[in-house]
Amino acid sequence: MTSAVSYELVDEIGVITVDNPPVNALSHAVRQGLHDALRAAQQDASKAILIICAGRTFIAGADITEFGKPPQEPHLPDLCSEIENASKPVVAALHGTALGGGFEVALSCHYRCALATAKVGLPEVKLGLLPGAGGTQRTPRLAGVRAALDLITSGNPIDAAKAASLGLVDHLVEGDLREAAMAWCGELVAKNAPRRKTSELRVETISDGVLAEYRSKLAKRARGQIAPFKIVDCVEAAMTQPFPEGMATERKKFIECMQSPQSAAMRHMFFAERKSARIRGLSKDTPQRDIGKVGVIGAGTMGSGIAMNFANAGMDVVLLEVSDEALSNGLQIIARNYVGGIKRGKFTEAEALERRERIAGTTEYSSLADADLVVEAVFENLGLKQDIFAELDGVCKKGAILATNTSYQDVNRIAAATTRPEDVIGLHFFSPAHIMKLLEVVRADKTADDVLATCMALAKKIGKTPVVSGVCYGFIGNRMLSHYGREAQLCVIEGATPEAVDTAMEQWGMAMGPLAVFDLAGLDVGYKARQGLPEDQRGDPRASRVADTLVEMGRCGQKTSAGFYRYDADTRKRTSDPEVQALIEREAEALGVKRRDIDSSEIVDRLIFALVNEGMKIIDEGIAQRPGDIDVVYVYGYGFPAFRGGPMHYGDAVGLDQVLARVNEFRQRFGADNWSPAPLLEKLVADGTNLTDWAKANCS
Ligand code: 3H9
């Protein structure tokens, strides 16, 4: 055995226990230990073998930290076939999350029992992979082809009851898992239960048409990704090939995925997301403040969505507005959002009601006196926000956290409006706030450590992915976006149509093209933000020229059914508008811009390298703690494709020397105002290194 796996013979049952915290990942020590224990169990007096795990979960998958390193024997597929070919019945006892390679171990066992609270799944696709230890061959044999396709291409776990209904789990148990599993093993031994080899089951066949339909659905749902299509190929092989050949097909395609840049990008995202929760200079045991009651100021779209997050997580919320009318509008937005959630199957009617009832309305600041946290979400005006914080300073209890949802304003100046700047922090939600995963947590100069630690933990509690940002105009996400958006709009003025720009970016993998995003967010939002800035800080006036004119024509985007595009009032489908094209050509002429053909590779490079270059400056200034944090911001907040790993990972994957060469080319062609290479980019290229290695040495 190894330190990660122990074996004992108890009442005729050979019990193999995996104990490899935190999630019992299948490291080399676990695979070796399982191999050794299986051998021992087959040589002693045991009549059945039980595989069970210590700690919080059954095996949660292959050890992702070993990927990319030379593989060491025993390999997982071989171990799975050793389990299946064992001379005695093997039973898996599942709790927690039996995922990926862990679930494949269970599928190789002859019987599976699970606690009702357990979840099972094959999430490899989320790492740009496919199940590589028989998952694509054994799942369709047990659950049928369609269920296997849904489970493996989505990567989403299912609960034990669903797994049992699909035939993936045989027996649900309650109470103490070990006791219940031992008792069931005893029953199986008593009735001389046979060894049931999953590989020997027949696979039901489905028609080619169904598979073709599945592939065409995936072409939309998983645009640009390779793993989901290889998964369908493997499941098809389970239908058309004998088990050993099917396994060979799976192996070949697994290796292709493992060696793909897409999987490297998605594995990077897995670790970046977990790392982004760590705050440099803050110990893990920093005390946290209790948050039971939350105040939200402003019942617009943002404030209402923000309030729902806290109510959904079981907290009491007071929503404050200046007038009864505005308050009632906000409460209606909330009611509508809950109805939407019921329709989408997010929660039941009763749950929605309970959550809604946790949100009380008020027009009195005194109602916030006992709130543990207040989030201000009024429109972007520094003076107004400072007035609100001065008022909160007078009203709120000692120790309350005072947060602003500002997208752009200086959190230090907002904090300075209070006598307790250490309690002030930025919590920047993304619209729609009750749905989007990203939360930028803005650490101001005087924000106390326990305030920051509390907000990071709270973010997790309300289901967000938090990323810490320092204070600067637009923080991490919107500061970078202003460069991306500038290039998108300059491409339009210089000769590309809005559709050409959006299509190029969507085909590259962005969830939505930039101009369609502007229309969705409301062109008036950017317009007002620009008007609020001194002229010399409004950026390249050529870039916003078309958007400003559209707003002045009353075309504010989707909400007015017209912006860069025209929108169908019912379906919100966008269509191009000749009127906008004529406007673009007029404005270009007025600006003296000679229009030309711009190909999609120039569009993509200008927009994405503008992000990478600004991201480098943000890292250099310490606004972001590490490059991976920026990637998390972009993937979770801006629709950047996870399979490209976020802008900073993408820059590294392309090669920083290539990025710098293109940035310098753009500087020559378009001027140094918009294209000054980041000093960190120049330094890393001069040093012959990349961002990943630099981050390992410089960012904790
Ligand atoms: C696979 O199995 C391939 C096979 O088909 C074929 C092979 C041939 N490996 O998420 P948490 C770490 S692919 C290594 O914060 P939670 C994680 O980094 C794999 N480490 O906890 C973190 O470390 P740290 C298929 C792993 O309770 C710590 O554990 N499996 C792995 O919120 C705690 O993680 C998956 O994709 C791993 N597999 O969630 C499952 N998993 O503390 C991936 C976790 O240093 N894992 N760590 O930051 C998960 O989805 C979640 O971690 C889980 C727990 C739901 C298990």
Side-chain angles (χ1 to χ4, degrees), residues 280-351:
R280 249 198 269 164
L282 213 71
S283 96
K284 264 192 173 167
D285 33 66
T286 305
Q288 289 178 21
R289 301 186 188 179
D290 288 332
I291 308 292
K293 180 171 173 183
V294 179
V296 176
I297 303 178
T301 318
M302 265 330 255
S304 305
I306 292 171
M308 289 174 69
N309 281 297
F310 296 107
N312 292 348
M315 285 166 249
D316 291 326
V317 182
V318 183
L319 183 61
L320 184 141
E321 254 300 351
V322 281
S323 69
D324 288 333
E325 195 193 340
L327 184 60
S328 138
N329 281 341
L331 293 171
Q332 276 169 28
I333 295 175
I334 290 172
R336 272 201 304 274
N337 286 345
Y338 275 121
V339 170
I342 298 167
K343 276 194 196 140
R344 287 197 309 277
K346 294 270 170 207
F347 30 68
T348 63
E349 219 163 298
E351 281 163 346

Side-chain angles (χ1 to χ4, degrees), residues 22-23 25 56 60-64 100-101 104 123-124 127 131-132 270 274 278:
V23 297
R56 60 166 142 140
D63 187 336
I64 306 170
E104 290 174 298
E124 286 85 345
L127 298 169
F270 177 84
R274 277 149 188 86
R278 292 186 209 148

Side-chain angles (χ1 to χ4, degrees), residues 117 166-167 228 326 394 430 695:
T117 50
L166 290 173
F430 288 72

Side-chain angles (χ1 to χ4, degrees), residues 38-51:
L38 264 178
R39 182 166 288 188
Q42 288 174 91
Q43 284 164 1
D44 66 17
S46 59
K47 297 211 166 123
I49 303 168
L50 175 67
I51 301 180

Side-chain angles (χ1 to χ4, degrees), residues 312-581:
N312 292 348
M315 285 166 249
D316 291 326
V317 182
V318 183
L319 183 61
L320 184 141
E321 254 300 351
V322 281
S323 69
D324 288 333
E325 195 193 340
L327 184 60
S328 138
N329 281 341
L331 293 171
Q332 276 169 28
I333 295 175
I334 290 172
R336 272 201 304 274
N337 286 345
Y338 275 121
V339 170
I342 298 167
K343 276 194 196 140
R344 287 197 309 277
K346 294 270 170 207
F347 30 68
T348 63
E349 219 163 298
E351 281 163 346
L353 184 67
E354 195 192 323
R355 290 165 188 215
R356 231 180 84 186
E357 283 178 349
R358 286 197 198 111
I359 304 174
T362 186
T363 52
E364 302 291 332
Y365 270 83
S366 56
S367 310
L368 303 178
D370 61 344
D372 304 301
L373 162 73
V374 178
V375 185
E376 163 276 311
V378 303
F379 60 87
E380 291 293 336
N381 179 301
L382 181 62
L384 175 65
K385 288 179 192 277
Q386 286 172 320
D387 289 348
I388 289 174
F389 274 72
E391 178 102 34
L392 289 175
D393 194 24
V395 157
C396 291
K397 69 179 182 188
K398 191 166 168 285
I401 296 176
L402 309 181
T404 171
N405 173 54
T406 183
S407 310
Y408 291 100
Q409 306 298 337
D410 184 337
V411 184
N412 288 321
R413 291 177 70 187
I414 295 174
T418 71
T419 58
R420 39 173 138 171
E422 65 282 2
D423 292 336
V424 177
I425 194 164
L427 290 180
H428 181 211
F429 289 80
F430 288 72
S431 185
H434 60 297
I435 290 174
M436 291 292 286
K437 290 275 284 173
L438 179 66
L439 182 68
E440 273 183 326
V441 177
V442 185
R443 182 184 203 169
D445 291 351
K446 294 189 178 155
T447 305
D449 285 355
D450 65 336
V451 169
L452 187 57
T454 305
C455 289
M456 293 299 279
L458 185 65
K460 291 255 154 182
K461 195 169 171 195
I462 61 173
K464 301 289 176 198
T465 302
V467 175
V468 176
S469 171
V471 176
C472 66
Y473 188 77
F475 315 121
I476 297 173
N478 282 347
R479 172 168 158 184
M480 286 169 66
L481 188 74
S482 64
H483 295 262
Y484 172 85
R486 178 198 68 221
E487 289 306 311
Q489 296 181 86
L490 285 175
C491 284
V492 165
I493 277 285
E494 288 168 26
T497 60
E499 337 17 26
V501 172
D502 282 346
T503 306
M505 298 317 295
E506 285 161 5
Q507 280 178 350
W508 186 81
M510 296 299 291
M512 203 186 226
L515 303 163
V517 169
F518 289 153
D519 272 358
L520 178 67
L523 296 176
D524 52 325
V525 177
Y527 182 86
K528 275 189 209 137
R530 278 189 292 281
Q531 303 296 314
L533 285 173
E535 206 142 327
D536 61 330
Q537 286 171 32
R538 288 187 195 166
D540 188 333
R542 293 171 308 157
S544 49
R545 182 77 168 247
V546 171
D548 286 352
T549 313
L550 288 170
V551 173
E552 282 154 14
M553 288 162 69
R555 300 180 64 124
C556 295
Q558 281 203 20
K559 60 184 155 193
T560 54
S561 298
F564 277 102
Y565 298 94
R566 205 154 259 300
Y567 292 90
D568 183 285
D570 297 325
T571 62
R572 293 202 193 164
K573 193 177 166 341
R574 72 182 191 219
T575 45
S576 51
D577 189 342
E579 214 182 296
V580 175
Q581 194 51 35

Side-chain angles (χ1 to χ4, degrees), residues 122 135-136 138-141 143-154 166 168 204 214 231 235:
L122 293 162
T136 64
R138 290 193 174 92
T139 313
R141 284 179 159 77
V145 172
R146 274 168 208 266
L149 284 171
D150 288 347
L151 189 72
I152 312 175
T153 60
S154 76
L166 290 173
L168 294 167
E204 47 125 23
Y214 213 92
I231 289 169
V235 174

Side-chain angles (χ1 to χ4, degrees), residues 72-95:
Q72 276 181 289
E73 287 182 354
H75 302 304
L76 191 58
D78 299 337
L79 184 63
C80 287
S81 80
E82 276 176 47
I83 294 173
E84 201 179 63
N85 292 322
S87 55
K88 303 171 184 179
V90 188
V91 178
L94 313 181
H95 76 294

